[in-house]
């Protein structure tokens, strides 16, 4: 048996991987590898070299076995390769990128990092279980989407993908054809969003800039209920000044939004952020024409999570689950060691009167639609 065959056998052996994940020291880890591969004379360095070589190759997987232990975490568009991590732990951290880092810090996922082609087979139908999400969360950023996702992520019957880097990476790969992107997105949702007992519901919170791809996403999942979270533009942009989001700055590698590729002379950061927010509001208006959308303003969010939103996603909360969701709302959504403190009033005072006029002028039409008529 070749070294690459040994590696393939290991990553396709869920029972062996679960035993291997129990190792607490490198000595225990390597001893189990010796036994599994029947290589009693190999030293630790030689065993780890087999893993290192295997991690560099792109496998042709048996998905029925691979997905019993692994889930894709990241996508390398240059080589069209998926990188996988252990799927045995439920993601409960505010963002899926944080979950990936936490799993990567564990011995098994640090030393064994399988890679496969983005689309390992021309036709993937029948090779992975088809997952039907219970709901999608779209948002303008800083609208309480993390609070919503964390409120449900703690429930044993829910699995939440909160701003999955993988899904966004696939959407942003312009080298993929429409057919390839559709197949890849479905495959990644089926594999990254696979449910493990007792989970019954998958919720996906998209990145704010994923809104530009809403026609593609909803054409693939036309029956999935959509939650659209909104907020006063001044409060959104005030939050962006404290900690700027990825989509709110121009990037040297190219525009995140094709509509904003033109750079105007003397454009300020606030100018650009107003354009981004206006664009997101326009996307949101388009999404609202879709029949399966519940739009919720930030100011109405807290009482809505355990009531209207849970019902919208057909979660049917028990009294205990409802209490769990409500308790989660007392904690800061992104920092579990802090209590939630309402900050809308302070955000309204952040900008000068001139800046507030600029923000509302740029977002006036969408702002009037959402914040005056959507009550």
């Amino acid at each position: 048996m070749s070294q690459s065959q040994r590696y393939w056998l290991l990553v396709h052996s869920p029972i062996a991987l679960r035993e291997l994940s129990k190792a607490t020291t490198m000595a225990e880890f390597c001893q189990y590898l010796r036994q599994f591969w029947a290589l009693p004379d190999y030293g630790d360095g030689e065993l780890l070299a087999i893993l290192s070589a295997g991690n560099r190759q792109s496998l042709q997987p048996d998905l029925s076995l691979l997905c019993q232990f692994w889930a894709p975490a990241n996508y390398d568009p240059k080589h069209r390769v998926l990188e996988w991590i252990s799927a045995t732990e439920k993601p409960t951290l505010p963002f899926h990128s944080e979950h990936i880092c936490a799993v990567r810090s564990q011995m098994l996922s640090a030393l064994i990092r399988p890679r496969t082609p983005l689309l390992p087979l021309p036709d993937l139908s029948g090779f992975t279980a088809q997952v039907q999400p219970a709901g999608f969360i779209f948002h303008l950023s800083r609208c309480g989407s993390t609070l919503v996702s964390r409120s449900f992520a703690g429930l044993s019957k829910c699995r939440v993908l909160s701003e999955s880097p993988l899904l966004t990476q696939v959407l942003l790969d312009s080298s993929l054809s429409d057919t390839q992107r559709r197949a890849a997105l479905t495959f990644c949702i089926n594999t990254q969003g696979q449910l493990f007992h007792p989970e019954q519901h998958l919720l996906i919170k998209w990145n704010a800039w994923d809104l530009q791809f809403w026609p593609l996403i909803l054409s693939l999942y036309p029956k999935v209920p959509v939650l659209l979270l909104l907020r006063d533009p001044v409060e959104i942009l005030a939050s962006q000044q404290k900690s700027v989001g990825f989509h709110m700055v121009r990037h040297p590698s190219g525009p995140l939004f094709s509509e904003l590729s033109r750079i105007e002379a003397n454009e300020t950061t606030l100018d650009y952020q107003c354009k981004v927010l206006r664009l997101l509001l326009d996307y949101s208006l388009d999404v609202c024409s879709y029949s399966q959308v519940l739009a919720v303003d930030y100011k109405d969010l807290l009482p809505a999570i355990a009531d209207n939103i849970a019902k919208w996603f057909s979660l049917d909360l028990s009294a205990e689950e409802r209490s769990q969701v409500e308790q989660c709302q007392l904690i800061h959504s992104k920092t579990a060691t802090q209590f939630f403190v309402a900050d809308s009033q302070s955000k309204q005072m952040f900008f000068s009167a001139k800046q507030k006029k600029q923000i509302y002028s740029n977002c006036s039409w969408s702002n009037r639609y959402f914040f005056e008529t959507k009550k």
Side-chain angles (χ1 to χ4, degrees):
M1 182 183 296
S2 69
Q3 308 295 47
S4 60
Q5 288 173 321
R6 288 191 172 92
Y7 181 88
W8 192 98
L9 182 62
L10 177 64
V11 300
H12 287 82
S13 302
I15 295 176
L17 290 165
R18 290 188 183 95
E19 289 299 315
L20 193 57
S21 66
K22 297 176 184 178
T24 58
T25 66
M26 185 64 72
E28 292 177 359
F29 190 92
C30 290
Q31 182 57 30
Y32 189 88
L33 288 178
R34 285 188 194 90
Q35 295 172 357
F36 180 79
W37 282 331
L39 297 173
D41 298 328
Y42 271 52
D44 292 359
E46 293 171 296
L47 296 168
L48 296 178
I50 296 176
L51 296 181
S52 179
N55 291 338
R56 293 193 298 271
Q57 62 181 313
S58 180
L59 303 174
Q60 288 299 324
D62 180 336
L63 294 174
S64 65
L65 293 174
L66 192 75
C67 293
Q68 290 183 37
F69 187 85
W70 305 97
N74 287 293
Y75 169 55
D76 174 4
K78 182 177 180 180
H79 301 99
R80 290 196 179 177
V81 166
L82 293 175
E83 300 173 355
W84 298 64
I85 61 170
S86 168
T88 57
E89 290 196 20
K90 178 184 175 75
T92 58
L93 294 171
F95 300 101
H96 203 71
S97 58
E98 295 175 329
H99 170 73
I100 293 170
C101 289
V103 174
R104 286 278 191 228
S105 69
Q106 299 169 6
M107 190 181 302
L108 185 139
S109 285
L111 295 175
I112 308 176
R113 306 177 66 145
R115 291 157 49 92
T116 70
L118 173 63
L119 296 171
L121 297 168
D123 182 6
L124 290 164
S125 58
F127 286 92
T128 57
Q130 300 299 302
V131 177
Q132 180 71 4
F136 289 150
I137 302 171
F138 287 131
H139 57 99
L140 306 177
S141 78
R142 316 301 164 90
C143 296
S145 61
T146 306
L147 176 60
V148 175
S149 62
R150 286 207 73 182
S151 295
F152 296 133
L155 301 178
S156 60
K157 66 183 181 184
C158 292
R159 174 169 287 249
V160 177
L161 299 180
S162 180
E163 301 188 8
S164 162
L166 171 65
L167 303 184
T168 297
Q169 290 159 356
V170 169
L171 287 171
L172 290 176
D173 184 2
S174 59
S175 73
L176 296 172
S177 68
D178 182 66
T179 299
Q180 290 172 326
R181 184 182 285 110
R182 287 172 174 272
L185 190 63
T186 303
F187 174 70
C188 290
I189 288 176
N190 286 341
T191 49
Q192 191 175 67
Q194 59 187 311
L195 301 176
F196 296 89
H197 181 77
E199 296 168 350
Q200 305 171 41
H201 309 279
L202 172 67
L203 301 175
I204 299 178
K205 181 179 80 139
W206 300 88
N207 274 299
W209 53 95
D210 294 337
L211 256 173
Q212 63 186 301
F213 300 104
W214 77 264
L216 167 63
I217 295 168
L218 297 187
S219 69
L220 290 171
Y221 298 93
K223 296 182 180 180
V224 173
V226 172
L227 172 65
L228 177 62
L229 297 175
L230 310 162
R231 190 175 186 177
D232 187 311
V234 164
E235 295 175 20
I236 292 175
L237 293 183
S239 177
Q240 293 290 342
Q241 308 315 302
K242 180 179 179 181
S243 175
V244 67
F246 177 78
H247 61 303
M248 284 294 184
V249 293
R250 287 194 180 275
H251 295 276
S253 58
L256 194 58
F257 305 95
S258 60
E259 297 94 330
L260 302 181
S261 57
R262 181 170 171 265
I263 304 177
E264 297 182 6
N266 303 317
E267 179 186 75
T268 67
T269 299
L270 184 59
D271 291 338
Y272 179 72
Q273 292 176 344
C274 285
K275 293 175 184 177
V276 171
L277 184 53
R278 173 57 189 262
L279 188 59
L280 293 178
L281 282 163
D282 288 343
Y283 292 143
S284 299
L285 181 59
D286 292 338
V287 172
C288 273
S289 65
Y290 181 68
S291 61
Q292 289 287 100
V293 173
L294 173 66
V296 177
D297 191 331
Y298 179 82
K299 68 181 187 296
D300 303 319
L301 187 58
L302 284 183
I305 295 177
D307 291 319
N308 295 348
I309 294 175
K311 292 176 183 176
W312 184 246
F313 291 149
S314 300
L315 298 184
D316 190 23
L317 300 182
S318 66
E320 181 180 355
E321 289 169 335
R322 181 186 178 90
S323 176
Q324 186 177 346
V325 168
E326 291 172 344
Q327 287 297 312
C328 185
Q329 296 169 16
L330 301 176
I331 307 300
H332 192 286
S333 61
K334 298 180 177 69
T335 309
T337 56
Q338 299 179 12
F339 288 103
F340 169 75
V341 178
D343 62 355
S344 289
Q345 186 174 0
S346 63
K347 284 183 167 55
Q348 283 290 339
M349 299 170 61
F350 181 87
F351 291 110
S352 67
K354 181 179 179 181
Q355 289 172 321
K356 290 179 72 171
K357 182 178 180 180
Q358 175 188 353
I359 293 169
Y360 283 131
S361 174
N362 275 272
C363 304
S364 59
W365 182 76
S366 296
N367 180 56
R368 184 168 61 253
Y369 180 88
F370 287 122
F371 295 98
E372 293 180 10
T373 67
K374 285 281 183 180
K375 294 182 179 178

